[in-house]
Each structure stands twice: as C-alpha cells, then as structure tokens.
Amino acid sequence: MLVPLLVAACVTDRDASDLSKSAKQGRDFAQANCAGCHALDDGVSPSPNAPSLRRAAHRLPDWAVAGSFKRGVQVGHTMEMPVFVFEDDDVANLLAYFEVLKERELGAEVR
C-alpha cells in the first residue's frame, strides 16, 4: 500500500518545481491535508471513493469551489470528508494548484 503513495509523491515532487508560489502553497496544503485520501495529480487515490485532485478540479467551477470552501461546506464529499478550517490564502492557493492540474490535463490531451 505504501509503494503507490511513494511513487505518487516522487512524481508530484518532481512537478512541483515549475509551480507559481501560490500553486506550490496550494500543493503543499493538499499534500498535508488531502493526500491521505486523494491522489494529488492523476494517480490512484489511497481511498477508493476519492477522485484524484486533477479529476476533482474539473468537477465544479472555481467560484463554486471557492464559495463552498470559504463557508466550510463540503463540496461533493460524503460524510467521510473531514471539515477544514482554511487560513487566509488557503482557498486561493488551492485554486491556483487546481488551475495547474487543469492545465496539465489540457496539455496531456494535446499530446
């Protein structure tokens, strides 16, 4: 079970060097708070019910995600999802990271 997590961490760490400061902070937040259930990029998530964050980034528009996070609403989650208290820039940083994931998806489709 640890091998997929380690492989995913290595791949994601390699890709972290080309992120903006905000996207890197969003990725760091996701690593600390989301990676226990969600794959950060498009790997296999540790929880079978949790989509990768790349897939999750495409589910709702940014404004809906931002509003829901700011109100503490669980966006598209079951009761398994823990409730987070977001600090000042956490939501903006997560959205910046989600934007990178969307761009990577588009780049992969072009190839």
Side-chain angles (χ1 to χ4, degrees), residues 41-42 54-55 58 100-110:
D41 197 9
D42 204 28
R54 182 183 285 188
R55 291 177 195 233
H58 289 283
V100 168
L101 294 175
K102 289 178 193 177
E103 290 170 6
R104 287 182 184 166
E105 182 80 13
L106 291 174
E109 290 175 3
V110 173

PDB file of all heavy atoms in Angstrom, residues 41-42 54-55 58 100-110:
ATOM      1  N   ASP A  41      -2.152  14.306  -8.160  1.00  0.00           N
ATOM      2  CA  ASP A  41      -2.208  14.566  -9.595  1.00  0.00           C
ATOM      3  C   ASP A  41      -3.277  13.660 -10.188  1.00  0.00           C
ATOM      4  O   ASP A  41      -4.443  13.803  -9.893  1.00  0.00           O
ATOM      5  CB  ASP A  41      -0.835  14.349 -10.213  1.00  0.00           C
ATOM      6  CG  ASP A  41      -0.700  14.971 -11.596  1.00  0.00           C
ATOM      7  OD1 ASP A  41      -1.602  15.720 -12.012  1.00  0.00           O
ATOM      8  OD2 ASP A  41       0.303  14.702 -12.266  1.00  0.00           O
ATOM      9  N   ASP A  42      -2.899  12.677 -10.948  1.00  0.00           N
ATOM     10  CA  ASP A  42      -3.894  11.797 -11.544  1.00  0.00           C
ATOM     11  C   ASP A  42      -3.560  10.339 -11.295  1.00  0.00           C
ATOM     12  O   ASP A  42      -3.866   9.480 -12.111  1.00  0.00           O
ATOM     13  CB  ASP A  42      -4.036  12.072 -13.041  1.00  0.00           C
ATOM     14  CG  ASP A  42      -5.394  11.638 -13.569  1.00  0.00           C
ATOM     15  OD1 ASP A  42      -6.351  11.640 -12.780  1.00  0.00           O
ATOM     16  OD2 ASP A  42      -5.488  11.300 -14.752  1.00  0.00           O
ATOM     17  N   ARG A  54      -6.758  16.118  -9.658  1.00  0.00           N
ATOM     18  CA  ARG A  54      -6.865  16.571 -11.048  1.00  0.00           C
ATOM     19  C   ARG A  54      -8.299  16.368 -11.535  1.00  0.00           C
ATOM     20  O   ARG A  54      -8.882  17.236 -12.154  1.00  0.00           O
ATOM     21  CB  ARG A  54      -5.896  15.832 -11.959  1.00  0.00           C
ATOM     22  CG  ARG A  54      -5.983  16.340 -13.395  1.00  0.00           C
ATOM     23  CD  ARG A  54      -5.090  15.585 -14.329  1.00  0.00           C
ATOM     24  NE  ARG A  54      -3.709  15.970 -14.138  1.00  0.00           N
ATOM     25  CZ  ARG A  54      -2.742  15.570 -14.943  1.00  0.00           C
ATOM     26  NH1 ARG A  54      -2.986  14.768 -15.966  1.00  0.00           N
ATOM     27  NH2 ARG A  54      -1.496  15.940 -14.723  1.00  0.00           N
ATOM     28  N   ARG A  55      -8.876  15.220 -11.239  1.00  0.00           N
ATOM     29  CA  ARG A  55     -10.269  14.975 -11.653  1.00  0.00           C
ATOM     30  C   ARG A  55     -11.223  15.860 -10.871  1.00  0.00           C
ATOM     31  O   ARG A  55     -12.193  16.384 -11.416  1.00  0.00           O
ATOM     32  CB  ARG A  55     -10.614  13.511 -11.488  1.00  0.00           C
ATOM     33  CG  ARG A  55      -9.888  12.659 -12.472  1.00  0.00           C
ATOM     34  CD  ARG A  55     -10.172  11.195 -12.268  1.00  0.00           C
ATOM     35  NE  ARG A  55      -9.181  10.446 -13.009  1.00  0.00           N
ATOM     36  CZ  ARG A  55      -9.475   9.513 -13.885  1.00  0.00           C
ATOM     37  NH1 ARG A  55     -10.722   9.203 -14.114  1.00  0.00           N
ATOM     38  NH2 ARG A  55      -8.517   8.898 -14.527  1.00  0.00           N
ATOM     39  N   HIS A  58     -11.883  19.462 -12.080  1.00  0.00           N
ATOM     40  CA  HIS A  58     -12.759  19.657 -13.236  1.00  0.00           C
ATOM     41  C   HIS A  58     -14.243  19.568 -12.901  1.00  0.00           C
ATOM     42  O   HIS A  58     -15.075  19.831 -13.751  1.00  0.00           O
ATOM     43  CB  HIS A  58     -12.453  18.598 -14.310  1.00  0.00           C
ATOM     44  CG  HIS A  58     -11.150  18.819 -14.980  1.00  0.00           C
ATOM     45  ND1 HIS A  58     -10.965  19.771 -15.946  1.00  0.00           N
ATOM     46  CD2 HIS A  58      -9.959  18.207 -14.813  1.00  0.00           C
ATOM     47  CE1 HIS A  58      -9.718  19.740 -16.356  1.00  0.00           C
ATOM     48  NE2 HIS A  58      -9.092  18.803 -15.682  1.00  0.00           N
ATOM     49  N   VAL A 100      -3.373  24.611 -12.190  1.00  0.00           N
ATOM     50  CA  VAL A 100      -2.215  23.902 -12.753  1.00  0.00           C
ATOM     51  C   VAL A 100      -2.626  22.493 -13.159  1.00  0.00           C
ATOM     52  O   VAL A 100      -2.254  22.014 -14.237  1.00  0.00           O
ATOM     53  CB  VAL A 100      -1.054  23.864 -11.733  1.00  0.00           C
ATOM     54  CG1 VAL A 100       0.039  22.897 -12.169  1.00  0.00           C
ATOM     55  CG2 VAL A 100      -0.488  25.256 -11.525  1.00  0.00           C
ATOM     56  N   LEU A 101      -3.402  21.829 -12.315  1.00  0.00           N
ATOM     57  CA  LEU A 101      -3.850  20.476 -12.643  1.00  0.00           C
ATOM     58  C   LEU A 101      -4.719  20.473 -13.894  1.00  0.00           C
ATOM     59  O   LEU A 101      -4.602  19.586 -14.737  1.00  0.00           O
ATOM     60  CB  LEU A 101      -4.608  19.869 -11.463  1.00  0.00           C
ATOM     61  CG  LEU A 101      -3.775  19.619 -10.203  1.00  0.00           C
ATOM     62  CD1 LEU A 101      -4.665  19.123  -9.073  1.00  0.00           C
ATOM     63  CD2 LEU A 101      -2.647  18.643 -10.474  1.00  0.00           C
ATOM     64  N   LYS A 102      -5.579  21.481 -14.044  1.00  0.00           N
ATOM     65  CA  LYS A 102      -6.407  21.588 -15.250  1.00  0.00           C
ATOM     66  C   LYS A 102      -5.532  21.810 -16.481  1.00  0.00           C
ATOM     67  O   LYS A 102      -5.769  21.219 -17.528  1.00  0.00           O
ATOM     68  CB  LYS A 102      -7.403  22.740 -15.111  1.00  0.00           C
ATOM     69  CG  LYS A 102      -8.501  22.494 -14.127  1.00  0.00           C
ATOM     70  CD  LYS A 102      -9.388  23.727 -14.058  1.00  0.00           C
ATOM     71  CE  LYS A 102     -10.321  23.712 -12.896  1.00  0.00           C
ATOM     72  NZ  LYS A 102     -11.123  24.932 -12.798  1.00  0.00           N
ATOM     73  N   GLU A 103      -4.524  22.685 -16.356  1.00  0.00           N
ATOM     74  CA  GLU A 103      -3.626  22.958 -17.483  1.00  0.00           C
ATOM     75  C   GLU A 103      -2.846  21.713 -17.875  1.00  0.00           C
ATOM     76  O   GLU A 103      -2.633  21.455 -19.059  1.00  0.00           O
ATOM     77  CB  GLU A 103      -2.676  24.094 -17.130  1.00  0.00           C
ATOM     78  CG  GLU A 103      -3.368  25.440 -17.048  1.00  0.00           C
ATOM     79  CD  GLU A 103      -2.479  26.532 -16.468  1.00  0.00           C
ATOM     80  OE1 GLU A 103      -1.277  26.299 -16.218  1.00  0.00           O
ATOM     81  OE2 GLU A 103      -3.000  27.650 -16.256  1.00  0.00           O
ATOM     82  N   ARG A 104      -2.417  20.936 -16.895  1.00  0.00           N
ATOM     83  CA  ARG A 104      -1.706  19.684 -17.189  1.00  0.00           C
ATOM     84  C   ARG A 104      -2.614  18.718 -17.929  1.00  0.00           C
ATOM     85  O   ARG A 104      -2.188  18.017 -18.824  1.00  0.00           O
ATOM     86  CB  ARG A 104      -1.182  19.050 -15.909  1.00  0.00           C
ATOM     87  CG  ARG A 104      -0.014  19.786 -15.327  1.00  0.00           C
ATOM     88  CD  ARG A 104       0.499  19.099 -14.084  1.00  0.00           C
ATOM     89  NE  ARG A 104       1.558  19.877 -13.487  1.00  0.00           N
ATOM     90  CZ  ARG A 104       2.018  19.686 -12.269  1.00  0.00           C
ATOM     91  NH1 ARG A 104       1.500  18.746 -11.515  1.00  0.00           N
ATOM     92  NH2 ARG A 104       2.986  20.435 -11.789  1.00  0.00           N
ATOM     93  N   GLU A 105      -3.881  18.695 -17.556  1.00  0.00           N
ATOM     94  CA  GLU A 105      -4.857  17.839 -18.230  1.00  0.00           C
ATOM     95  C   GLU A 105      -5.004  18.248 -19.687  1.00  0.00           C
ATOM     96  O   GLU A 105      -4.991  17.427 -20.584  1.00  0.00           O
ATOM     97  CB  GLU A 105      -6.202  17.900 -17.506  1.00  0.00           C
ATOM     98  CG  GLU A 105      -7.263  17.016 -18.093  1.00  0.00           C
ATOM     99  CD  GLU A 105      -7.108  15.563 -17.664  1.00  0.00           C
ATOM    100  OE1 GLU A 105      -6.347  15.269 -16.731  1.00  0.00           O
ATOM    101  OE2 GLU A 105      -7.764  14.725 -18.283  1.00  0.00           O
ATOM    102  N   LEU A 106      -5.115  19.555 -19.914  1.00  0.00           N
ATOM    103  CA  LEU A 106      -5.222  20.049 -21.278  1.00  0.00           C
ATOM    104  C   LEU A 106      -3.968  19.760 -22.080  1.00  0.00           C
ATOM    105  O   LEU A 106      -4.035  19.369 -23.240  1.00  0.00           O
ATOM    106  CB  LEU A 106      -5.514  21.556 -21.282  1.00  0.00           C
ATOM    107  CG  LEU A 106      -6.893  21.976 -20.777  1.00  0.00           C
ATOM    108  CD1 LEU A 106      -6.999  23.481 -20.699  1.00  0.00           C
ATOM    109  CD2 LEU A 106      -7.983  21.405 -21.673  1.00  0.00           C
ATOM    110  N   GLY A 107      -2.812  19.916 -21.439  1.00  0.00           N
ATOM    111  CA  GLY A 107      -1.544  19.604 -22.099  1.00  0.00           C
ATOM    112  C   GLY A 107      -1.438  18.142 -22.461  1.00  0.00           C
ATOM    113  O   GLY A 107      -0.926  17.779 -23.525  1.00  0.00           O
ATOM    114  N   ALA A 108      -1.928  17.275 -21.610  1.00  0.00           N
ATOM    115  CA  ALA A 108      -1.887  15.831 -21.871  1.00  0.00           C
ATOM    116  C   ALA A 108      -2.819  15.478 -23.027  1.00  0.00           C
ATOM    117  O   ALA A 108      -2.522  14.592 -23.820  1.00  0.00           O
ATOM    118  CB  ALA A 108      -2.280  15.053 -20.618  1.00  0.00           C
ATOM    119  N   GLU A 109      -3.958  16.186 -23.158  1.00  0.00           N
ATOM    120  CA  GLU A 109      -4.896  15.911 -24.238  1.00  0.00           C
ATOM    121  C   GLU A 109      -4.328  16.318 -25.578  1.00  0.00           C
ATOM    122  O   GLU A 109      -4.631  15.718 -26.596  1.00  0.00           O
ATOM    123  CB  GLU A 109      -6.219  16.638 -23.991  1.00  0.00           C
ATOM    124  CG  GLU A 109      -7.013  16.064 -22.842  1.00  0.00           C
ATOM    125  CD  GLU A 109      -8.262  16.859 -22.541  1.00  0.00           C
ATOM    126  OE1 GLU A 109      -8.560  17.844 -23.266  1.00  0.00           O
ATOM    127  OE2 GLU A 109      -8.950  16.514 -21.570  1.00  0.00           O
ATOM    128  N   VAL A 110      -3.509  17.383 -25.612  1.00  0.00           N
ATOM    129  CA  VAL A 110      -2.932  17.886 -26.847  1.00  0.00           C
ATOM    130  C   VAL A 110      -1.901  16.924 -27.410  1.00  0.00           C
ATOM    131  O   VAL A 110      -1.764  16.772 -28.607  1.00  0.00           O
ATOM    132  CB  VAL A 110      -2.315  19.291 -26.635  1.00  0.00           C
ATOM    133  CG1 VAL A 110      -1.559  19.765 -27.849  1.00  0.00           C
ATOM    134  CG2 VAL A 110      -3.416  20.269 -26.271  1.00  0.00           C
TER     135      VAL A 110
END
